[in-house]
Amino acid sequence: MTMVELDTPLIMLGQLDWLNWLAMFWFMIILEIPRYTLSGLAVLLSSLKRRSSPTTAERQALDRLTISVVIAGHNEADAIEKCLRSLREQTRKIDEIIFIDDGSTDGMREMINRYCQSGQIDIALSNQVRSGKSASCNFGFTLAKGDIIVNLDADCSYDCDAIEKLIEPFTDPLVGATTGALGVRNYGYSAVTSYQAIEYITAIAMGKRALDMLDLVVCASGAFGAFRREAINQVGLLAPGPGEDFDLTLRLRRSGWKVRFAGDSWCFTDTPATFKAIIRQRRRWDRDTTRTRMRKFRDALHPGRRRFSLLETFEQVEWLVMNLLVTLVFPIYVAYLFLLFGNEAIYILLSVAVAYFILDIAGFSMALAICRRYDSKMIVRIFPYLLTYGLYNGVFMRCVRLYAYFEEWVHRASTRDSYSPSRVSRQAHYIR
């Protein structure tokens, strides 16, 4: 392509009036730019109103709380040592650690029994038959004696002050659950893990700060969440099947409990390293979200329900517009461009990609400035992937999400999810 060929579309774009700009870029103008702008403003305001450290009285109240850690895993023997080592290094005393082996076949049962005998685990139990994460965690929850129950994944590691920071919001007696920031531990393994590192920084570390300011945190992650025992006793344990953490969080919110994001509490995990693996994971996540929102909690939009909440309805509408609608409209937008502008649509889409890049750079820079957690080595390693992150997040992941929506709406694919045993998935489908 010659410089003359490149100049032609640039000159054409520069000569457009606002109506033609709207005709070409309505998707970005109406849906994407407001989403980036509003979330950025919310994060900026939340950073200006950063919560101060607990007072002496609040610190004494936190110290009186007893902490139980419940970890459930299936075939994760290789990850146990790293997880327990990070728990031993915590600045906050952990009163008991309960480890549940969910029918593993890799020697995990024997390993947790050895750790129990050496005193590193307080209670080690095993399911003879795999029962799914919900059942295993519920087993641990019923045994836990702590005022606060921290639910962790076996394949994660944690900053030394992670538990201390995670429980700080419980100084508010109305807080029923908290969740911390998630980081990507294997960010340098492949392009896929680098993309996810960017995504976790902007969507979780920064995005949840914005949601926390608006009191719209709707998922206390099963990998890194803490729950007040009183709240769990009120709303019940985890529901069977996948998406159990999201389901429990929504039940807590509906019962009047607050859910807070502890942005300075960090957990690190290894993310899927191939496109095949990330597609499988995200299809499962989006199917579960669709099932939980649009089936079990669809009455959030109904003003006549017994405990109608305008905030919960707003949160549901926000998801419908910013996730569902944007995902459905994007392929229509692309088809519209080619139908109306022919081959010139390629230049329009390239302009959209440039806009995504600028927005992503701004969001990534803001996230790094606010989080202050990642070192320069990590930033240098993943920064080049910002060039194509817009394609990953704006095109590739939307295609995956669109397919997941189709799977769930048409085929109810979550009932056949291998994440849980088939009998558990069928039970979850029956309940929902």
Side-chain angles (χ1 to χ4, degrees):
M1 183 179 289
T2 66
M3 288 299 297
V4 174
E5 290 173 318
L6 281 171
D7 288 342
T8 302
L10 294 176
I11 293 172
M12 179 191 74
L13 291 174
Q15 294 174 341
L16 295 177
D17 58 24
W18 71 271
L19 285 175
N20 284 315
W21 270 89
L22 184 60
M24 288 183 175
F25 301 108
W26 58 266
F27 182 82
M28 294 293 297
I29 295 171
I30 297 174
L31 296 175
E32 290 290 51
I33 292 177
R35 179 169 66 90
Y36 276 88
T37 304
L38 292 174
S39 61
L41 287 173
V43 170
L44 182 61
L45 290 173
S46 69
S47 66
L48 294 175
K49 295 175 62 178
R50 183 179 290 270
R51 190 176 187 274
S52 58
S53 299
T55 63
T56 301
E58 289 175 333
R59 179 61 63 191
Q60 291 173 347
L62 289 172
D63 289 342
R64 287 193 294 270
L65 295 174
T66 52
I67 307 297
S68 296
V69 169
V70 174
I71 308 170
H74 173 73
N75 286 345
E76 293 179 304
D78 293 340
I80 295 175
E81 171 56 33
K82 185 179 294 185
C83 177
L84 290 178
R85 183 167 61 248
S86 67
L87 293 181
R88 289 195 297 269
E89 296 170 351
Q90 291 300 306
T91 56
R92 175 56 161 88
K93 176 189 175 184
I94 298 173
D95 295 282
E96 65 175 352
I97 298 176
I98 301 172
F99 220 116
I100 310 296
D101 162 51
D102 187 25
S104 298
T105 58
D106 66 343
M108 183 174 171
R109 178 187 308 176
E110 292 77 15
M111 183 172 291
I112 64 173
N113 285 332
R114 287 198 298 272
Y115 282 121
C116 186
Q117 292 171 3
S118 65
Q120 297 183 57
I121 295 174
D122 295 284
I123 300 176
L125 298 169
S126 298
N127 297 327
Q128 296 300 314
V129 178
R130 186 180 172 217
S131 303
K133 183 174 181 180
S134 296
S136 299
C137 287
N138 287 343
F139 193 11
F141 285 7
T142 57
L143 297 172
K145 301 174 183 176
D147 301 308
I148 305 298
I149 301 174
V150 180
N151 189 23
L152 306 178
D153 272 355
D155 60 351
C156 295
S157 55
Y158 308 88
D159 278 359
C160 61
D161 61 351
I163 302 297
E164 178 183 351
K165 297 294 185 182
L166 185 65
I167 68 170
E168 281 186 358
F170 287 110
T171 54
D172 181 351
L174 297 179
V175 171
T178 65
T179 186
L182 294 176
V184 176
R185 192 167 50 198
N186 60 334
Y187 61 84
Y189 187 85
S190 67
V192 176
T193 58
S194 295
Y195 284 136
Q196 289 172 92
I198 298 171
E199 181 184 16
Y200 275 49
I201 293 171
T202 55
I204 298 180
M206 187 176 76
K208 280 197 173 182
R209 287 178 186 268
L211 294 174
D212 185 62
M213 180 182 176
L214 300 171
D215 192 20
L216 291 176
V217 178
V218 294
C219 185
S221 170
F224 190 38
F227 303 90
R228 194 184 294 273
R229 169 185 289 281
E230 178 186 352
I232 293 291
N233 290 339
Q234 179 182 343
V235 304
L237 298 170
L238 295 167
E244 71 288 335
D245 48 1
F246 182 41
D247 175 274
L248 176 58
T249 309
L250 290 181
R251 282 187 279 133
L252 287 169
R253 288 178 61 89
R254 284 198 167 197
S255 297
W257 292 98
K258 294 180 181 179
V259 180
R260 294 291 309 279
F261 175 63
D264 295 325
S265 177
W266 282 87
C267 159
F268 289 87
T269 185
D270 290 335
T271 57
T274 65
F275 281 105
K276 181 179 179 180
I278 188 67
I279 289 172
R280 184 170 60 248
Q281 181 197 66
R282 297 309 173 87
R283 283 168 55 205
R284 173 169 58 82
W285 286 4
D286 289 319
R287 289 196 303 258
D288 298 340
T289 299
T290 303
R291 177 180 64 181
T292 303
R293 284 186 179 275
M294 304 309 293
R295 294 201 177 108
K296 186 168 185 178
F297 293 96
R298 63 182 178 271
D299 64 344
L301 301 172
H302 196 299
R305 71 181 175 90
R306 186 165 57 90
R307 295 198 62 176
F308 177 76
S309 168
L310 189 60
L311 184 64
E312 299 304 306
T313 300
F314 173 79
E315 191 280 325
Q316 186 83 318
V317 171
E318 187 272 339
W319 177 82
L320 288 171
V321 173
M322 294 302 181
N323 288 274
L324 182 61
L325 181 63
V326 170
T327 300
L328 296 177
V329 168
F330 182 73
I332 298 173
Y333 172 65
V334 174
Y336 156 85
L337 288 180
F338 279 99
L339 183 64
L340 196 62
F341 299 101
N343 291 335
E344 299 298 323
I346 295 175
Y347 298 113
I348 299 173
L349 290 173
L350 287 174
S351 301
V352 169
V354 171
Y356 272 126
F357 174 67
I358 294 172
L359 292 170
D360 290 332
I361 285 285
F364 184 70
S365 301
M366 181 182 292
L368 290 178
I370 292 173
C371 297
R372 300 192 299 269
R373 174 59 181 79
Y374 291 98
D375 57 26
S376 58
K377 176 183 176 182
M378 183 267 195
I379 296 170
V380 170
R381 176 66 177 81
I382 68 174
F383 190 83
Y385 291 95
L386 277 171
L387 289 170
T388 51
Y389 178 72
L391 294 175
Y392 164 82
N393 192 50
V395 180
F396 172 70
M397 292 311 302
R398 282 201 178 120
C399 291
V400 174
R401 193 174 300 122
L402 185 63
Y403 182 64
Y405 291 159
F406 170 79
E407 285 184 298
E408 185 59 26
W409 286 337
V410 178
H411 301 293
R412 293 181 178 255
S414 58
T415 61
R416 301 183 299 276
D417 199 329
S418 60
Y419 177 80
S420 298
S422 58
R423 68 186 187 283
V424 175
S425 295
R426 285 196 298 269
Q427 180 186 359
H429 172 63
Y430 176 77
I431 292 173
R432 300 182 188 189

